[in-house]
Amino acid sequence: MKKIILFFAFIAVSHANAQLSYMGSELGLEPYIGFSNMGGAVGGELKFAARLSDNLLVGPSCRVQHTWANNLGMQSQMTTWGGGVFAHYRYQEVVFGGVEFQYLKSPFSFVNPLEVVRPWSPTLMVGGGFYLKLGEKVRLNAALFYDVINASNSPFRSSYSFKIKNEFGQVVRILPIIYRLTFFIPLDSQE
């Protein structure tokens, strides 16, 4: 099965290579900061985007995030880091859709703190949102992403905002959906 997928991926890349060309690059910055009375987090992501057409951007990404907590007197802290790849498709300079994969070092389980987990966490985000020009040299992606993998040690679990409650108001499920604000700065004279 893996060989068949790799074969079709090779054919798709070969076909895309014939029709796409390098049209410039952009630098993406996604800052993150969050605080509460029990802790917080500071960090962000850096993306390098190769513009393969007026609408298609692909490239690598790097994320670093430091998290700390003081839960009932028990202090903890950790630094999450890792890299990945992404692809965004912009439509009519208004909306965009994207896929982002990252492999992050995160030795903590948000499901069960006593659980022994693998030190690396894969994430596969699929989503989209608005693409806005904030000026001549700054673009903004404001989006919602769904984590398809939703690993138990995903560092994004604490950022999931969409909760489903039962009739008693108790949270019965948290959807792996996060919001992201990413600033893109063109590194060339195009666009």
Side-chain angles (χ1 to χ4, degrees):
M1 183 66 174
K2 288 181 183 179
K3 290 180 182 180
I4 293 171
I5 293 171
L6 287 174
F7 173 75
F8 283 114
F10 176 76
I11 296 298
V13 167
S14 298
H15 180 69
N17 193 29
Q19 296 186 6
L20 298 174
S21 62
Y22 180 76
M23 297 184 66
S25 58
E26 297 184 16
L27 184 65
L29 303 168
E30 181 186 306
Y32 179 80
I33 187 167
F35 295 101
S36 75
N37 59 353
M38 294 191 300
V42 172
E45 182 176 359
L46 183 65
K47 296 178 178 173
F48 178 78
R51 203 175 321 109
L52 300 182
S53 72
D54 287 336
N55 301 324
L56 180 63
L57 287 87
V58 298
S61 65
C62 177
R63 177 176 292 279
V64 175
Q65 183 168 308
H66 184 72
T67 305
W68 65 93
N70 184 7
N71 195 3
L72 300 175
M74 296 180 60
Q75 296 182 355
S76 65
Q77 60 180 325
M78 70 177 187
T79 300
T80 300
W81 59 275
V85 294
F86 73 97
H88 289 177
Y89 185 81
R90 297 172 177 164
Y91 180 72
Q92 298 288 325
E93 295 192 6
V94 176
V95 296
F96 84 98
V99 175
E100 301 181 359
F101 175 80
Q102 289 185 332
Y103 207 53
L104 304 170
K105 185 166 177 72
S106 175
F108 184 76
S109 174
F110 287 94
V111 175
N112 179 0
L114 302 177
E115 176 185 8
V116 177
V117 295
R118 295 180 179 178
W120 290 89
S121 174
T123 63
L124 179 61
M125 301 289 187
V126 177
F130 294 102
Y131 165 70
L132 310 166
K133 286 188 176 184
L134 299 180
E136 189 63 31
K137 288 298 240 176
V138 178
R139 316 295 187 251
L140 173 68
N141 284 358
L144 290 176
F145 279 92
Y146 181 86
D147 187 355
V148 175
I149 296 174
N150 193 18
S152 64
N153 65 333
S154 172
F156 299 119
R157 277 185 167 267
S158 62
S159 300
Y160 296 161
S161 302
F162 296 88
K163 298 176 177 141
I164 298 173
K165 297 181 179 182
N166 64 12
E167 62 272 7
F168 304 109
Q170 299 169 325
V171 175
V172 293
R173 186 168 178 216
I174 300 174
L175 300 176
I177 298 172
I178 64 170
Y179 64 90
R180 286 196 170 159
L181 297 174
T182 308
F183 297 93
F184 279 94
I185 302 164
L187 299 176
D188 50 26
S189 60
Q190 292 183 353
E191 201 177 18

